Amino acid sequence: TSTPVTLTPTDSPTSLTKALQTCPPAYDQTKTTYIAGDLILVNGHVFQCREDEGYELYCNLPHRPEHENEGKMWHDAWVHLRP
């Protein structure tokens, strides 16, 4: 026979819960210090700087859609997580 397990809620949210509820900072195209794993908010969508080696450089390019090559590199570097 197995012993029943009783789960009890914690008094405060866990760090993961807090991270999921917290809105990341808005993207700043003048910032050049984004690092792998950074989260940003763009037009209500959350993006994360790719953690694969070599992408940090591209996370720090300004997002200027009128510059086609820069825009593609920016979108390759940032992963869309959720709206």
Side-chain angles (χ1 to χ4, degrees):
T1 64
S2 61
T3 305
V5 175
T6 303
L7 300 175
T8 56
T10 61
D11 291 334
S12 61
T14 64
S15 60
L16 176 59
T17 303
K18 288 179 185 176
L20 292 174
Q21 293 173 345
T22 304
C23 192
Y27 171 68
D28 177 357
Q29 72 177 4
T30 65
K31 183 176 174 179
T32 59
T33 56
Y34 287 112
I35 60 170
D38 276 354
L39 297 174
I40 57 168
L41 186 66
V42 178
N43 297 327
H45 293 260
V46 177
F47 291 85
Q48 181 178 35
C49 181
R50 233 180 248 286
E51 297 189 71
D52 301 327
E53 188 174 330
Y55 280 96
E56 283 182 5
L57 171 68
Y58 300 110
C59 288
N60 288 292
L61 287 176
H63 182 228
R64 299 182 297 190
E66 67 275 12
H67 294 87
E68 187 177 331
N69 287 338
E70 286 179 5
K72 178 171 177 10
M73 289 184 281
W74 191 94
H75 281 285
D76 287 346
W78 291 96
V79 179
H80 182 253
L81 297 180
R82 64 181 188 270

